Amino acid sequence: MGLRLDSDHPVAHTIAIANQKGGVGKTTTAVNLGAALAEREQRVLLVDLDPQAHLTINMGVKMPDDIEKTVYDLLVDPEVTVGDIVLENEHAGLHYLPANIELSGAETQLLNEIGREGLLKEKLRSVGRRYDYIVIDCPPALSLITINAFVAADEVIIPLQCEYFGMKGMQQLQRSVDRVRAKLNPRLRVGGILPTIYKARTLHSQEVLDLVRQHYGDLVFNFVIKDSIRFAESPLASASILQYAANSDGAQAYRKLADAVMGSNHR
């Protein structure tokens, strides 16, 4: 894959992108945060933990079900390593671990495994010094797969759609983060809440954003991801928004997110 193993390189900072609600911009955030970090000459590995495989498709894989080995194999087969499944999107300067619908069967297979919550962390450990950042796209459920992401992660970034029902699951998600921190991963923290699909011209979006900021204060990033058709168009071009519409509001917002992530980790 063209990346050297550097024993002096610090271990990658790992970020889980999570929200149990679907359609809030998790994959969009994972892809575009990764692309913005790569644009800043950071070495980035994306991990697709969603059986819907939207990140994998966004990376240019038109038929994920045809991939021979995926994250599913990484989790259920002790012999499979990251190196066996990692792929590269040269245009975006990103490496990624692909998924497909097989991943939906991993939960059942892992139920009786000892240390099942830490399987992803163990597998990623072998490549931790090859990357600056590992960004994990979580499924829209607080499942064993999501718990694996939380155990592997240093922080969770929560994309939150600017509508009332988007707020309702936040407490449940925070409780899950707190439980993982208490029992499995004491370093885990919420890195920030990212307002997404923001419709600047609607009063509802503005009211929800105000409520979120009142309730969560400094946890909420001080910029928003505005609703834009370009986010739907860019995956069709197998591109991030930074490549597809480099000067758009969306591209600029994800550059701000990358700067915030890099600044908070003193890199």
Side-chain angles (χ1 to χ4, degrees):
M1 291 274 96
L3 282 183
R4 69 190 186 282
L5 181 58
D6 185 349
S7 60
D8 296 326
H9 190 276
V11 175
H13 185 81
T14 301
I15 302 165
I17 310 296
N19 189 322
Q20 71 269 33
K21 189 174 185 298
V24 300
K26 285 189 299 295
T27 300
T28 297
T29 295
V31 168
N32 291 298
L33 171 58
L37 289 167
E39 191 179 75
R40 280 147 173 72
E41 300 186 345
Q42 301 299 297
R43 298 185 285 185
V44 181
L45 175 68
L46 303 181
V47 182
D48 193 346
L49 278 193
D50 190 341
Q52 295 176 91
H54 289 166
L55 185 148
T56 301
I57 293 167
N58 207 147
M59 288 289 100
V61 178
K62 301 303 182 189
M63 300 290 288
D65 292 348
D66 292 342
I67 301 174
E68 187 175 341
K69 287 186 178 179
T70 66
V71 166
Y72 167 80
D73 300 280
L74 187 70
L75 292 174
V76 305
D77 187 341
E79 301 301 316
V80 173
T81 68
V82 169
D84 294 329
I85 71 166
V86 67
L87 299 174
E88 184 173 6
N89 181 314
E90 292 184 15
H91 190 41
L94 294 167
H95 290 183
Y96 64 99
L97 305 185
N100 60 25
I101 194 63
E102 270 193 308
L103 185 57
S104 60
E107 296 263 335
T108 306
Q109 287 194 245
L110 295 177
L111 281 177
N112 296 319
E113 287 288 324
I114 295 172
R116 59 188 177 270
E117 299 93 347
L119 288 169
L120 180 65
K121 178 182 177 181
E122 288 301 314
K123 291 296 181 88
L124 291 176
R125 182 173 289 165
S126 65
V127 296
R129 295 190 187 278
R130 296 188 180 188
Y131 298 99
D132 299 298
Y133 291 92
I134 298 173
V135 180
I136 306 172
D137 185 21
C138 296
L142 296 174
S143 60
L144 177 57
I145 299 299
T146 302
I147 299 303
N148 260 267
F150 287 179
V151 171
D154 298 293
E155 66 176 296
V156 181
I157 289 177
I158 305 168
L160 181 64
Q161 185 175 0
C162 289
E163 61 172 29
Y164 176 69
F165 289 110
M167 289 183 62
K168 298 207 68 164
M170 279 293 296
Q171 287 181 316
Q172 187 183 359
L173 181 56
Q174 281 198 307
R175 282 196 296 269
S176 295
V177 171
D178 290 342
R179 282 199 297 268
V180 171
R181 184 191 301 117
K183 295 179 180 295
L184 297 165
N185 180 6
R187 75 182 184 283
L188 185 67
R189 64 184 178 89
V190 175
I193 297 168
L194 180 67
T196 61
I197 317 178
Y198 180 73
K199 298 174 181 177
R201 296 182 181 179
T202 70
L203 182 61
H204 181 65
S205 270
Q206 294 170 29
E207 288 176 340
V208 170
L209 181 59
D210 288 342
L211 276 174
V212 171
R213 287 190 165 142
Q214 286 171 26
H215 199 274
Y216 294 103
D218 290 343
L219 270 183
V220 185
F221 290 107
N222 61 2
F223 49 88
V224 301
I225 308 298
K226 292 181 182 177
D227 189 34
S228 170
I229 189 63
R230 286 171 172 165
F231 285 120
E233 294 170 350
S234 60
L236 299 175
S238 302
S240 72
I241 195 75
L242 283 81
Q243 300 161 287
Y244 183 75
N247 297 317
S248 64
D249 287 343
Q252 300 294 2
Y254 278 111
R255 289 186 181 105
K256 288 180 182 177
L257 180 61
D259 289 341
V261 165
M262 292 176 70
S264 68
N265 295 301
H266 309 294
R267 288 181 183 270

